[in-house]
Amino acid sequence: MRNCTFDEVLQEMFIERWLAPKSQSSYLGPVSYFQRYIGDHVLPSEVKRADVMAWRAAIVQSGRNPSGIAETSWNNYARHLKSVYRFGISHELIPLNKSPFEGVFLREKKKGRKTLKDTDIVFARETLELCRRYEVVKGEPAPIHPAWFWQVVLETFYHTGIRLNQLLSIKPVDVHLKKRRLTASAEGAKNRIEATLPITDALYPHLSTLMTAAHAMGFRRSDQLFNVNRFSERHSRDTMDIWQVEGFFRRLSKFCGSRVTPHRFRHSLATDLMRSPERDLYLTQQICGHTDIRSTLEYVAPDLNALRRYLEQRHATRA
């Protein structure tokens, strides 16, 4: 049996599980964070449960540590480190019988999911339309540039609810305007499952604009379709990445006066679908790409007016 370092265990794990770069990063971050606390020289086998509990007390938000991380973040760190230990122990890379990260999770505070208000979406659309008109009239880049491209990005998130990585993975070959369907590849999906989504009447003209522009720029069928660098005077990278998209949403949020993000579009879509009188749990699950129906059920929220009427019935029967 070997007595490996954290780096050696991770490398073995990445090779055997064939993890994608993003998945690798999700493990590297928590391990690096823990090593900064425990010391780079400490081997996984030398870590005691008391060390883990002390680390938790040092970084989790509490009365003594108001600036610490939330329970959700801690559980995410602990989950990844627990997985690393389980792999190391089962493959005889860490000479232990039990992981020190077993049973260290915290109960998370259940808060409502962050969604967008109707006014947030109105302001976002108005902001982009003003930028688009500015660029047409002035012939120069607006504060958000190119505005027409970011309009397509926003509307795609609004009408499909896809994840950011899925958007970045879309190629021209994935958009079928005649058949009104959009393929979100497994490459960018969290569950690694390809999904086919309908192109709605409202989304169609935006994707048509993007496809026309991509054709004029000589895009190949396998190129990244949502690539601002191919249409912008300010950007010069080969491909569009997460940071460019998040940078756009930060600028848009400042103009709108409220936080607008791709994930909030996703939460808003799922919430709206499950609030609809014609709501369909199965169809919502398919649109959101949830492998577990429980993820979809989390968007089932009671209607406040319905709750009010229900409570008022009690008063009416006693009056």
Side-chain angles (χ1 to χ4, degrees), residues 197-229:
L197 298 171
I199 297 175
T200 62
D201 291 343
L203 177 60
Y204 181 90
H206 297 284
L207 288 181
S208 178
T209 297
L210 179 60
M211 291 293 286
T212 300
H215 178 73
M217 294 292 294
F219 275 53
R220 294 171 298 180
R221 289 165 59 85
S222 60
D223 285 347
Q224 182 188 44
L225 179 60
F226 285 87
N227 185 353
V228 68
N229 307 284

Side-chain angles (χ1 to χ4, degrees), residues 53-296:
M53 302 308 287
W55 184 46
R56 186 177 75 176
I59 67 173
V60 175
Q61 188 179 56
S62 64
R64 295 180 178 179
N65 185 19
S67 61
I69 64 174
E71 292 88 348
T72 304
S73 298
W74 163 258
N75 288 342
N76 181 55
Y77 294 153
R79 189 176 299 111
H80 283 84
L81 280 154
K82 178 182 175 182
S83 180
V84 171
Y85 265 92
R86 281 191 170 182
F87 177 87
I89 293 171
S90 65
H91 287 72
E92 298 186 341
L93 304 174
I94 302 175
L96 291 176
N97 294 320
K98 184 178 180 181
S99 164
F101 281 90
E102 294 286 346
V104 300
F105 296 93
L106 295 172
R107 179 173 294 181
E108 300 176 8
K109 297 182 180 71
K110 289 291 184 180
K111 298 182 180 180
R113 293 184 179 273
K114 301 293 185 181
T115 58
L116 296 168
K117 299 177 183 177
D118 290 342
T119 51
D120 295 333
I121 297 169
V122 170
F123 290 157
R125 284 172 168 160
E126 288 181 348
T127 297
L128 290 174
E129 180 59 18
L130 285 173
C131 288
R132 187 192 69 80
R133 291 180 182 179
Y134 177 91
E135 293 188 332
V136 170
V137 174
K138 294 289 187 179
E140 60 185 44
I144 296 178
H145 169 76
W148 71 266
F149 173 84
W150 293 115
Q151 282 180 315
V152 179
V153 170
L154 183 143
E155 296 298 338
T156 302
F157 280 126
Y158 175 82
H159 290 286
T160 66
I162 61 175
R163 294 185 185 345
L164 198 163
N165 275 316
Q166 287 179 296
L167 180 101
L168 294 175
S169 299
I170 293 174
K171 303 174 180 63
V173 71
D174 297 325
V175 180
H176 307 273
L177 292 176
K178 288 184 178 180
K179 296 182 179 180
R180 298 293 185 101
R181 73 185 188 199
L182 170 67
T183 301
S185 70
E187 181 182 349
K190 185 177 180 180
N191 56 16
R192 313 298 289 176
I193 298 175
E194 182 179 280
T196 301
L197 298 171
I199 297 175
T200 62
D201 291 343
L203 177 60
Y204 181 90
H206 297 284
L207 288 181
S208 178
T209 297
L210 179 60
M211 291 293 286
T212 300
H215 178 73
M217 294 292 294
F219 275 53
R220 294 171 298 180
R221 289 165 59 85
S222 60
D223 285 347
Q224 182 188 44
L225 179 60
F226 285 87
N227 185 353
V228 68
N229 307 284
R230 301 283 294 270
F231 307 108
S232 173
E233 296 180 18
R234 294 176 178 164
H235 306 84
S236 58
R237 301 181 185 180
D238 292 331
T239 58
M240 187 166 81
D241 57 24
I242 290 175
W243 311 116
Q244 287 181 297
V245 180
E246 291 184 344
F248 154 68
F249 277 104
R250 281 196 299 272
R251 293 192 298 275
L252 181 63
S253 298
K254 288 182 180 179
F255 281 110
C256 295
S258 58
R259 192 159 183 237
V260 183
T261 69
H263 220 61
R264 291 195 179 193
F265 275 109
R266 179 174 174 80
H267 289 326
S268 298
L269 174 64
T271 301
D272 288 345
L273 291 175
M274 294 311 298
R275 282 178 178 170
S276 170
E278 299 83 20
R279 68 185 180 190
D280 187 304
L281 190 61
Y282 174 75
L283 291 179
T284 303
Q285 180 189 18
Q286 297 305 304
I287 291 171
C288 295
H290 295 148
T291 53
D292 191 333
I293 196 68
R294 288 176 294 183
S295 298
T296 313

Side-chain angles (χ1 to χ4, degrees), residues 8-52:
E8 289 170 337
V9 175
L10 285 173
Q11 289 306 312
E12 293 274 356
M13 183 176 169
F14 294 164
I15 292 172
E16 178 159 326
R17 293 187 177 178
W18 200 255
L19 295 180
K22 186 178 180 183
S23 297
Q24 292 183 23
S25 297
S26 69
Y27 285 98
L28 288 169
V31 169
S32 177
Y33 193 7
F34 182 56
Q35 282 185 293
R36 286 200 298 272
Y37 173 81
I38 200 71
D40 292 336
H41 62 284
V42 177
L43 295 172
S45 61
E46 297 172 339
V47 176
K48 308 299 181 186
R49 182 178 174 81
D51 298 324
V52 176

